[in-house]
Amino acid sequence: MKRSTQLIALMAALAAGSASAAGTLAGTTIENTATASFEDPANAGSTLNSTSNTVQTVVLPKPDFDIVYTTSGIADGNTLTSTPVVTTGAVPGQVIETPYSLVNKGNTPLDIVVNADTTGSAAGATVRYYRANTDGSRGAEIPAGSAVTVTADNPTTGADEGIVKIIQVITLPTDPALISPTSVFGASPEGTVLGTAGADPLVTPGNGYASGTTVQEENKAVNTDLQFTRVTVFAPALDNNPNTNPGTPVDSAGNPLPPASVPPVTSVNVPTEVVGKPGDNTPVVSAPGYVTPAPTTPPATPSPVPGGATDPTPGGTPIATNVAGDEQIAYPTADLNATPDRVVFTNTLTNTGGTTDVVQLFPTLADGTPDPAYTFDPATGVFTNPTTGVTIRFLDPVTGEPIKVSTDPNNPTVAQYPTVTVPNGSTVVYRTEVTYPDVNDSAPIAPVTVLIGADSLKDADLVSNSNTRNTILPPAAQFGDATGAQGAEATPAPIQTVNPNGPTSGATSPDFTDATATFPMDVVNNGQYNDSYTLSGTVTLIDAVTGNPVIVPVLYYAPDGSLLPRVSNDTASPDYNKFITPVVAPGTEYKPVAVIQVPAGTRTGDYTVTQNAVGNYSTIPMTDTNNIIRVAPAGSVAVAKFVAKAGVVAGSNPINTIPNPADYTATGATGAKPGDNISYRIIGKNTYNTSVNGFFLSDTVPANTTLFSVALTPAPSKTIYRVTPVGSTTAGAWTTTAPTGLAAGTKIDVAVDADNNNLPDALAPGATLSADFIVTVN
């Protein structure tokens, strides 16, 4: 009965287009860091804190996936003849879009390979797959047979991360030999996953499927879980296109145009397109005209793209033309203000119907009907979408004035929208002005997509006979302190404590005994095109002897620990301490590490680090001014954290000068499944040359776990505990009752109270205090 209830819940979730995660996400790192608090031996009455290393444990994968119709209520498992998803009255060359969802039903990311099944379809049509933009429009193409990475749904968030929405695009042939009123076309996406898990998932977890196996949707047999779209056709005579070089161009009234009035279609510079692993600077050709520059140049240097044009207005935006996809794509830079932005596209409409045609233009849905999201004011010629704030005007290429609503005197059909006259065998040129809100350049921003319809007044319906798409990809970016989820954090202010007389290190500063401060950062591309970013920063320190300021640059390292490329290798250049990130794809982030080497003899105190980032193509400027370097006095308390692992030799894995106990390690922990316990040992050591008063150890229950137990080891004559509830900054009273069963985010303090005053005792020089901290994986 329980299994049936789970199945019904899963079917309901899929029908609503949602994923269902199988417990805690695979690959989730269960992290835990301990702290020690004590009275400053150099300043009685002042409390200092010390932080241990972070211990990590990874949850193992449990995979499952499916491809379903995004529209709810349509079951899959059908054929070309049985499918309820049907498009009728399609025209030669028409593009039929069907939304689907790749659903990750497991707890681990999967690379789902998408192929088209065209069993029973007439020959000649092409089938392609695209990612769906947030507004449901078509995004980037998914190459045939390539994999789409679908993350697992995170049950701890309100969002549904386990779904990637795609669009199947069937393009009908235009060859009369391949298309007739009796032709039936169709296709279904078919998903497979190649298993990558090794024989020992603790060593090679992979995706949870056996290595080398090909797994079908929901682990079903081949061709038993399909979801077809069927298309029947007829032949129109209009062709609404992106900007081209028409041989017989005319204006909106059908009069021949001088060549100078038509923007030439040659090439434009757009942000670099790349493929490969994130952060890969290797030159790669991903599509004709899209080339990644060599690592010695900024990776987002614009690349020339043939077949493009520029917005005809002054300072116009580069626009790439994709004639095969019947689309134009604009790449605007940031303007750093909140006023509405504007892009003007040049479109063409060709008539091959055998006679002069009068055609009306309007924003349309994919089915050719006018988009109801827009209202039209015939007095101004403006289409307005009150929900998005987007407005559209169709302009004459010569006068630049809005095209008016007119009628065909030889046809009783009345035009409702701006009209153009197209002689047979000619191409009318018109401009599409798209104005859209520009709220800010930080938050995620969706593409602005306008589908333009052209409806002949020589038929009785108000349905576009040919559509073309104009797309604007706006920029947006964030820069700040790194977070687990995508996005940069502005608060709280991270503090890095350093010993200016200690050694220096690179991108990873192991503890506070050295002179290196490190701040993990995030550069988030919230825009809609690739970009790279130039990073720079400084901190002004004070020399303890002279009192003079010392300006120290921030160095930026890649996640792998290598120094990022400098803008200039000339040490005398002001660009020497500026660093370039790899190309960051839209909707992703790059995680550089800010590193500051604190000079010896720096005065004790807190110093604020100022960091800057700027988009190399988008030109978006960003700052982060909340990171603090704390220069500490000599002496410290070392804290180490270890996790239980059988067979580890004592002292083989020391941390912060503290040797690991037998059967405990600070690295290489074994995996833990939901329901397993993770046992930690926290050790604090006083390396001052005097006792530190009020010494206690602290730990916080990690995300995705519940506290099982906490105790000092060996057990003293009296142990006291203190709890800070989740979401609170105020700790409770000290008590002898050991806590258990506490939720993630709860902080627990533990101390010795040998003198029975219900307060933590002092820790003698060279002495250690150890605590066992055990949690259960949810």
Side-chain angles (χ1 to χ4, degrees):
M1 185 62 155
K2 181 177 180 181
R3 291 181 57 141
S4 298
T5 302
Q6 292 173 337
L7 180 58
I8 292 171
L10 177 58
M11 292 175 65
L14 290 177
S18 63
S20 176
T24 301
L25 291 177
T28 297
T29 300
I30 298 176
E31 296 185 341
N32 194 263
T33 305
T35 61
S37 301
F38 52 93
E39 183 177 298
D40 185 355
N43 186 9
S46 176
T47 300
L48 297 179
N49 297 302
S50 296
T51 303
S52 78
N53 59 295
T54 298
V55 176
Q56 301 178 335
T57 304
V58 178
V59 177
L60 301 179
K62 183 180 179 182
D64 194 12
F65 72 101
D66 196 10
I67 299 180
V68 299
Y69 295 103
T70 298
T71 303
S72 62
I74 306 176
D76 56 7
N78 54 49
T79 66
L80 181 64
T81 57
S82 66
T83 178
V85 181
V86 180
T87 296
T88 60
V91 300
Q94 182 171 328
V95 174
I96 296 90
E97 298 185 352
T98 306
Y100 293 91
S101 295
L102 308 184
V103 182
N104 187 337
K105 297 160 62 179
N107 74 336
T108 183
L110 293 175
D111 291 334
I112 301 176
V113 176
V114 181
N115 285 300
D117 188 309
T118 56
T119 303
S121 173
T126 61
V127 182
R128 292 186 174 90
Y129 294 96
Y130 297 80
R131 291 180 178 270
N133 293 318
T134 54
D135 64 352
S137 63
R138 194 193 319 170
E141 182 178 0
I142 304 169
S146 66
V148 176
T149 299
V150 185
T151 60
D153 180 35
N154 188 342
T156 66
T157 69
D160 198 346
E161 301 90 345
I163 289 179
V164 171
K165 293 184 178 180
I166 66 172
I167 297 175
Q168 175 181 273
V169 178
I170 301 174
T171 303
L172 301 188
T174 56
D175 186 346
L178 298 176
I179 190 167
S180 72
T182 61
S183 299
V184 177
F185 298 91
S188 167
E190 185 175 27
T192 58
V193 169
L194 180 64
T196 60
D200 184 356
L202 296 180
V203 176
T204 309
N207 60 15
Y209 290 125
S211 180
T213 61
T214 298
V215 184
Q216 303 290 320
E217 300 168 34
E218 298 187 305
N219 215 17
K220 294 180 181 178
V222 177
N223 297 335
T224 59
D225 191 22
L226 300 177
Q227 37 282 321
F228 269 86
T229 293
R230 185 168 77 248
V231 182
T232 60
V233 300
F234 73 93
L238 293 175
D239 191 9
N240 200 12
N241 287 311
N243 187 24
T244 60
N245 286 321
T248 55
V250 297
D251 62 13
S252 60
N255 300 314
L257 280 174
S261 64
V262 182
V265 179
T266 54
S267 65
V268 292
N269 290 330
V270 301
T272 302
E273 298 281 347
V274 298
V275 296
K277 64 181 184 296
D280 189 354
N281 273 352
T282 305
V284 177
V285 177
S286 65
Y290 292 81
V291 181
T292 304
T296 54
T297 60
T301 297
S303 298
V305 179
T310 302
D311 179 338
T313 57
T317 297
I319 300 172
T321 302
N322 179 4
V323 177
D326 213 4
E327 182 178 18
Q328 295 182 88
I329 304 173
Y331 296 86
T333 58
D335 59 9
L336 309 182
N337 61 47
T339 59
D341 291 338
R342 182 183 70 154
V343 175
V344 177
F345 297 88
T346 299
N347 292 94
T348 61
L349 178 65
T350 301
N351 174 23
T352 57
T355 184
T356 297
D357 204 349
V358 178
V359 182
Q360 55 184 336
L361 306 172
F362 51 85
T364 181
L365 299 177
D367 63 2
T369 59
D371 190 340
Y374 287 87
T375 60
F376 177 61
D377 183 355
T380 61
V382 176
F383 292 86
T384 302
N385 186 326
T387 301
T388 63
V390 173
T391 63
I392 301 170
R393 293 195 307 168
F394 298 109
L395 309 177
D396 185 274
V398 177
T399 66
E401 295 297 318
I403 297 173
K404 300 182 180 300
V405 180
S406 60
T407 59
D408 183 353
N410 300 316
N411 194 288
T413 304
V414 177
Q416 300 183 34
Y417 302 119
T419 56
V420 293
T421 299
V422 196
N424 179 49
S426 296
T427 299
V428 67
V429 178
Y430 65 95
R431 293 178 180 175
T432 304
E433 177 193 72
V434 181
T435 304
Y436 58 99
D438 181 18
V439 179
N440 62 61
D441 293 307
S442 174
I445 187 169
V448 178
T449 299
V450 178
L451 191 62
I452 304 301
D455 173 48
S456 171
L457 293 183
K458 294 188 180 295
D459 57 29
D461 58 16
L462 181 54
V463 177
S464 170
N465 298 112
S466 182
N467 298 337
T468 189
R469 188 185 303 275
N470 295 329
T471 299
I472 301 170
L473 301 181
Q478 288 182 352
F479 176 62
D481 299 299
T483 60
Q486 180 160 315
E489 180 65 56
T491 58
I495 298 176
Q496 284 281 297
T497 303
V498 300
N499 179 355
N501 298 321
T504 60
S505 60
T508 57
S509 175
D511 53 50
F512 57 82
T513 63
D514 68 8
T516 302
T518 61
F519 298 96
M521 307 300 292
D522 277 350
V523 183
V524 188
N525 186 349
N526 280 329
Q528 290 296 320
Y529 55 72
N530 291 335
D531 207 352
S532 70
Y533 303 87
T534 296
L535 309 179
S536 62
T538 60
V539 57
T540 302
L541 306 173
I542 302 298
D543 185 276
V545 176
T546 65
N548 295 329
V550 178
I551 299 176
V552 177
V554 179
L555 308 178
Y556 289 93
Y557 286 77
D560 64 4
S562 62
L563 189 69
L564 288 178
R566 297 179 185 269
V567 173
S568 171
N569 290 322
D570 181 0
T571 57
S573 170
D575 292 331
Y576 179 71
N577 287 314
K578 295 180 180 180
F579 300 84
I580 304 171
T581 73
V583 170
V584 183
T588 66
E589 64 183 2
Y590 182 72
K591 292 181 175 294
V593 180
V595 177
I596 301 95
Q597 308 290 1
V598 177
T602 298
R603 178 183 296 174
T604 300
D606 287 357
Y607 299 91
T608 299
V609 182
T610 299
Q611 300 185 69
N612 303 287
V614 61
N616 289 326
Y617 181 91
S618 64
T619 70
I620 297 175
M622 296 160 281
T623 60
D624 181 89
T625 58
N626 67 336
N627 293 349
I628 296 173
I629 297 176
R630 177 164 291 163
V631 179
S636 64
V637 169
V639 183
K641 183 146 187 193
F642 305 95
V643 63
K645 183 178 182 180
V648 178
V649 178
S652 63
N653 188 197
I655 292 293
N656 298 342
T657 72
I658 299 175
N660 64 293
D663 296 327
Y664 281 84
T665 181
T667 58
T670 55
K673 298 187 291 294
D676 290 350
N677 282 348
I678 303 175
S679 298
Y680 302 102
R681 178 158 295 174
I682 310 161
I683 303 175
K685 181 179 180 181
N686 178 14
T687 61
Y688 281 98
N689 57 358
T690 185
S691 296
V692 289
N693 297 324
F695 189 90
F696 61 91
L697 298 174
S698 300
D699 209 340
T700 300
V701 181
N704 300 309
T705 67
T706 302
L707 178 67
F708 181 80
S709 66
V710 59
L712 293 176
T713 180
S717 59
K718 181 181 178 182
T719 302
I720 55 176
Y721 308 87
R722 189 172 65 175
V723 173
T724 302
V726 178
S728 174
T729 58
T730 303
W734 289 101
T735 176
T736 58
T737 302
T740 187
L742 301 180
T746 307
K747 180 184 176 186
I748 301 97
D749 306 326
V750 58
V752 176
D753 183 22
D755 58 6
N756 207 34
N757 66 350
N758 208 41
L759 292 173
D761 292 347
L763 188 66
T768 62
L769 183 65
S770 299
D772 285 344
F773 188 81
I774 303 175
V775 297
T776 302
V777 179
N778 294 339

